[in-house]
Amino acid sequence: MRDTSGTTMSSKRAASRFSRLSIVIALSASALLSAVGPTHAVPAKDPLPADIPDYQAALDAVKSVDVRNAVCRFLRTPVPTGGAGGPVETIPETTEPCQGLPVFTIKDPVARNEITPGFVAGTAQPLPIEAVKLTQLVSSLSTTVNGRNATVMLAPTQGGGWHLAAVRDGDSDAAYAGKATVGTLVFTEPQIRGWYQLKLTTVEPLNDQARQGLGGQASASLSDYQKLVKARYADKLPGSQYDTKGYSSGYSVQRKADDASSSTLLLAGGSGTALALAAGAAVLRRRRRASTR
């Protein structure tokens, strides 16, 4: 019997993404039309549950005991100070990882959208439905714990639902992703940690990295933004010579020292209990690549 579960899941996610981006286009167009003539007001609505497939599963995940325990183990482990070349530190298992820590909750997850490979390569049209895709969900904590915050990152599970992918130090991803409003999308250019807001077909920067990515401009058309990212990454996509030589992270700009600590990850192992703290994703990429040689 032919297995169609993967195809069905992909179709559901594609339909959800199409719906989400269509809403952005429709609402933005409505706002433009209101400037030239009377129109009925668009009722406000919560953009998140309708935009994210299996959203209840995502809520269940971030409220689960396993995810909470993973966050507590993460918060109990000091941030590495040795930089990207530091050793991977194994987090010891404890029966009550949250015992003694201040009380906190994990906020409802929000969409983390990224630019698509086709948009970067220039093979996709400069349209919202082609330029941006939902890749992960992110949640931050309700309060700092011992002076630290954390971001819970969920990845889609094959066949439906969401599972814990990582816990990251800091809350910038969730903070920027949460700036999406009815009629707009927020997305990231992860290679430079740039965050942007998409209004119809206009891209506006939300942080300094994004402003640098736009060459200092206050905004750019989606078409012009595509030209910029194509120039930066088109020859560095998976399968390119740049990728096969080991630079799989693609283009990057020089980062400040404090950026290294903010990218620290807590990776969930296959069993859901084996956890390791790495001093930056670059370490993991290098070790993963070395292990396959």
Side-chain angles (χ1 to χ4, degrees):
M1 182 178 292
R2 185 179 178 185
D3 183 5
T4 60
S5 61
T7 302
T8 302
M9 187 61 189
S10 298
S11 298
K12 288 181 179 179
R13 295 196 186 286
S16 175
R17 183 162 61 94
F18 179 82
S19 174
R20 180 178 69 253
L21 293 172
S22 296
I23 290 172
V24 171
I25 295 172
L27 292 178
S28 299
S30 177
L32 291 175
L33 289 172
S34 67
V36 297
T39 184
H40 295 292
V42 177
K45 58 175 284 187
D46 182 355
L48 295 178
D51 298 346
I52 299 173
D54 303 314
Y55 189 71
Q56 185 58 52
L59 286 174
D60 293 342
V62 298
K63 306 302 181 185
S64 69
V65 173
D66 287 345
V67 168
R68 183 177 181 81
N69 285 344
V71 173
C72 289
R73 292 189 185 100
F74 175 82
L75 293 171
R76 286 187 179 280
T77 304
V79 177
T81 58
V88 173
E89 182 178 348
T90 300
I91 300 176
E93 288 290 332
T94 58
T95 56
E96 297 290 342
C98 297
Q99 186 174 7
L101 288 178
V103 175
F104 67 90
T105 59
I106 302 173
K107 295 179 181 179
D108 292 352
V110 293
R112 184 180 187 275
N113 301 300
E114 294 185 17
I115 50 177
T116 66
F119 180 74
V120 172
T123 57
Q125 294 295 314
L127 300 170
I129 185 65
E130 301 289 338
V132 178
K133 68 176 180 180
L134 173 65
T135 57
Q136 292 177 317
L137 303 181
V138 289
S139 305
S140 59
L141 307 185
S142 61
T143 186
T144 57
V145 177
N146 296 338
R148 293 174 65 186
N149 209 321
T151 296
V152 175
M153 309 184 77
L154 302 179
T157 301
Q158 186 174 5
W162 298 85
H163 63 271
L164 177 65
V167 179
R168 179 178 299 219
D169 214 31
D171 63 351
S172 59
D173 278 18
Y176 283 119
K179 290 181 179 295
T181 61
V182 175
T184 71
L185 276 176
V186 168
F187 68 92
T188 182
E189 184 183 330
Q191 295 85 351
I192 63 171
R193 295 185 64 81
W195 284 91
Y196 305 84
Q197 190 167 45
L198 180 60
K199 299 178 179 179
L200 191 53
T201 56
T202 299
V203 177
E204 297 180 357
L206 293 177
N207 63 0
D208 289 340
Q209 293 93 325
R211 279 183 280 276
Q212 181 181 356
L214 292 184
Q217 301 178 82
S219 65
S221 69
L222 193 57
S223 178
D224 286 343
Y225 174 66
Q226 183 178 33
K227 294 174 184 177
L228 292 172
V229 295
K230 181 180 179 181
R232 286 200 279 269
Y233 314 125
D235 61 343
K236 302 173 180 68
L237 291 169
S240 66
Q241 185 179 23
Y242 189 88
D243 174 45
T244 56
K245 286 185 176 180
Y247 300 100
S248 59
S249 62
Y251 174 92
S252 65
V253 297
Q254 185 176 4
R255 297 181 183 173
K256 298 178 181 179
D258 57 358
D259 273 344
S261 63
S262 68
S263 63
T264 300
L265 297 178
L266 175 68
L267 302 179
S271 66
T273 59
L275 303 171
L277 184 65
V283 177
L284 301 181
R285 284 194 297 271
R286 286 200 297 270
R287 294 190 180 189
R288 206 176 284 138
R289 186 173 296 277
S291 66
T292 59
R293 290 178 179 172

